Every structure is written in C-alpha cells, then in structure tokens.
Amino acid sequence: MPERGEIRDEAAAKIRKSPRIETVMKPQSFTYHVARSAADALELLAAEGDDAKIIAGGQSLVPLMNFRLARPTALIDICQVPNSDKIVMDDSGLRFGFSVRHSDALRSSQVHGASPLIGQALKWVGHEAIRNWGTLCGSTVHADPAAELPAVWLALDAEMVILGPRSERRLSAESFFRSYFTTALQSDEMLTEIHVPHAPDVRLRRTAFHEIARRHGDFAIVGAAVVIDLDEEQRISSARISVMGAGEVPLRVHSAEALLLGARLDDVQAHASAEAEVRSVIRPPDDSHGSSEFRRKVTGTLVRRSLADCAGFPSMLGDMA
C-alpha cells in the first residue's frame, strides 16, 4: 500500500485548486474534490485520470472501497452541485437530477402520482439510513444486476442522459447496462439525469414490484418489476416485464410481455404463460444465495405475483414455487 502522500504527486500539479483531503482509513488513500457543477466534475475527472470516481451518495461505492474491491485514487463529490437534487415533471415525464436521493423520490407526491412503480421499488432499497444518503443516479451507475432501480428503469422505458467532455448523449435503460457492475458510461462521462416518460394514460396503467432477500433490507436475490397499460376495454395494450438477479444485467423479457398483449388483466392463464416464459428464458447464475434453478423458479413466481397485484388479486404470499 502506498504511504500517505506518496501518490498523486505528479497528477496534483495538473489539478486546479479545490478542497482536498488526504485520507488514510479502511479504503486506499484517495484525493477528495467537491465539484461545483457538472462541467466542473468532468474537468476534475479528466485531470485525475481513469482511476478517479464520481461519488454521489456513496452507499454503493464506499462499501466497495472499504473492502478494497474498488481503489479509486480520487473521489469527486457531486452532491453539492446546485439544483442537482431536483425532481422535475414536465410534459415529457419525470426528470431526476444526479443528486436526487432515494428518500426524496420515495416522499415525492409527484413521483407517486406519475410513476408509482418507483416508490413501490424504493421501499425495498436497504434501510432508511441508506435511502437517506443513496442517490438514484449513483445506484444506477453502480449497476448491480440485483439492484431494484435498474430493473425499474427498464420496466419504465427510462432514458439515461450522459454528459461527456464534448457532448451529451442519451441511451435507453436497456442499452445502458452492459455487464456485472458495468454500464455504457465512458471513464470521462457522468450520468446527469434519468428521464422517465409519462404513461400514455396513468388511469389505465398498473404497476407492481416484488423481490426476495434473506431479510428485508438485504441485497435482493431476485426480483421483478411489471408495468401494464390497458386500453379502454381493459385489455392489455402494452406490457413490460423486467427481472433482476437473473443474469449479468437486469433483463427485460420481451417474449413474456408478448404473451400478455390483448389479454384481460385478470386472465390467469395469460399470467401463467408469462411466468412459464420467464422461467424458460432466463439463465441465472448459481451463487451462495441460491442455485440457478431456485432463482429461475422464484423469478417466475415473482412475475406472476406482480401480475396478480396489477389485477388486484389477493396476496399470493403463500404461493412460492
């Protein structure tokens, strides 16, 4: 391990003046900067090089640093950027700034009214202390395949707004997540906003989210998010099913969605067909929390449970596979 003060001497000459703390604790020593704007954050990121990391709430990154699984040489804190914690609703949908915390979204009447799936999922994120610090964009960039929000963004067809040193680009959630803890973000880019489009008709939209974990607040083993849009005859005109913990990225199961189109929301045979399709398509990994077969069966059951919630059926808590 480098001694205190031994690292970054060369890089320090390139970095303009900013708040700076040399830290030796459980993580590897790092330099700390406070960004004053998104552009400022990008400049610091470029100056510090590929081993620098942007930090927002830190609820995902800091534990990795404590275990030395992540060893950034510099952290660039973006949580003090003015107005970056705003939730804005305009004609196109909801826009979450890069410092919006889980608890802000969970308490927002705008979010609850326009997109209740977000609140349904956020209740499962860690515990209150974690939700008070963790940010939506931070969790999204962390890209844990078993995390709640990436699956939610897929189900809501959300758009990721990415700012780089030369331009801004936008990616669908499905294109954003690439592999385990890996996204389409380049090392000189940052996620500045998450855009969730409005439902075609919020009165005719039904949503549900379920996951299982060893204990509430623990990391999820698997989970499912479902969004259903109905036509005026109460038939399913659009369905989106995403699952988490079932692969190296959150997965949208298009083939299962297709089986629901045109069905009535209370069509239990359609529910069963979607569940069977999910189980047949996914190939979850084995790990210490469950075998692939266990995850496959439970994921299908959670999809069926979510569809039952959308239909207003009684709880299926006793109907696990």
Side-chain angles (χ1 to χ4, degrees):
M1 173 182 174
E3 294 297 328
R4 183 177 186 176
E6 285 185 350
I7 58 175
R8 295 176 304 281
D9 289 342
E10 183 177 345
K14 304 176 184 177
I15 300 172
R16 59 191 169 79
K17 204 177 281 186
S18 67
R20 187 176 180 86
I21 299 173
E22 292 290 345
T23 306
V24 175
M25 42 196 283
K26 286 192 289 183
Q28 173 179 282
S29 180
F30 58 88
T31 304
Y32 175 76
H33 300 279
V34 176
R36 301 302 177 187
S37 67
D40 189 29
L42 291 181
E43 288 179 16
L44 290 164
L45 198 58
E48 287 284 10
D50 291 344
D51 292 329
K53 291 285 185 188
I54 287 177
I55 187 169
Q59 298 303 290
S60 300
L61 178 58
V62 171
L64 289 179
M65 293 171 63
N66 286 341
F67 285 110
R68 303 278 176 118
L69 297 173
R71 301 185 180 201
T73 54
L75 291 182
I76 300 160
D77 190 339
I78 57 174
C79 274
Q80 297 184 44
V81 174
N83 299 317
S84 63
D85 59 348
K86 302 298 183 186
I87 301 172
V88 176
M89 186 162 69
D90 58 22
D91 291 342
S92 65
L94 286 166
R95 299 182 180 278
F96 297 95
F98 52 79
S99 295
V100 173
R101 301 187 188 279
H102 295 123
S103 54
D104 297 330
L106 194 53
R107 288 193 293 262
S108 168
S109 58
Q110 278 188 323
V111 174
H112 180 71
S115 194
L117 178 64
I118 297 171
Q120 290 166 344
L122 284 174
K123 294 175 183 175
W124 293 88
V125 174
H127 301 284
E128 187 172 0
I130 291 173
R131 294 193 292 270
N132 284 340
W133 281 100
T135 60
L136 306 189
C137 283
S139 176
T140 301
V141 169
H142 183 60
D144 187 329
E148 292 83 2
L149 287 176
V152 165
W153 303 142
L154 258 67
L156 291 174
D157 205 18
E159 184 179 56
M160 306 293 136
V161 181
I162 299 167
L163 183 63
R166 290 165 295 281
S167 62
E168 180 183 278
R169 62 190 179 114
R170 296 165 182 262
L171 285 178
S172 68
E174 204 163 5
S175 300
F176 184 74
F177 301 103
R178 295 291 174 85
S179 184
Y180 292 106
F181 305 100
T182 303
T183 71
L185 275 180
Q186 302 297 311
S187 60
D188 58 352
E189 294 179 321
M190 64 178 287
L191 179 63
T192 55
E193 182 181 282
I194 296 171
H195 173 226
V196 176
H198 282 311
D201 186 338
V202 71
R203 298 172 304 123
L204 297 174
R205 170 163 285 189
R206 306 289 183 270
T207 64
F209 181 94
H210 280 287
E211 71 175 43
I212 64 161
R214 295 179 64 192
R215 296 168 299 188
H216 186 79
D218 280 3
F219 291 111
I221 298 175
V222 291
V226 170
V227 175
I228 299 291
D229 287 310
L230 302 172
D231 61 20
E232 294 292 348
E233 298 178 348
Q234 300 296 303
R235 293 189 178 277
I236 297 173
S237 59
S238 170
R240 287 193 290 279
I241 298 171
S242 65
V243 298
M244 52 194 253
E248 61 186 61
V249 293
L251 301 170
R252 189 168 161 192
V253 191
H254 295 274
S255 55
E257 296 168 359
L259 297 173
L260 294 168
L261 298 181
R264 298 192 68 83
L265 188 53
D266 59 357
D267 184 341
V268 294
Q269 184 55 52
H271 296 187
S273 297
E275 174 192 2
E277 179 64 16
V278 168
R279 288 182 173 180
S280 71
V281 167
I282 62 174
R283 296 289 182 272
D286 293 308
D287 69 14
S288 59
H289 298 296
S291 68
S292 176
E293 182 65 10
F294 170 78
R295 288 170 184 265
R296 200 169 57 81
K297 287 185 176 181
V298 175
T299 302
T301 300
L302 295 181
V303 168
R304 182 157 54 94
R305 184 179 296 173
S306 298
L307 290 169
D309 278 2
C310 290
F313 291 167
S315 172
M316 299 173 62
L317 287 175
D319 194 27
M320 291 295 293

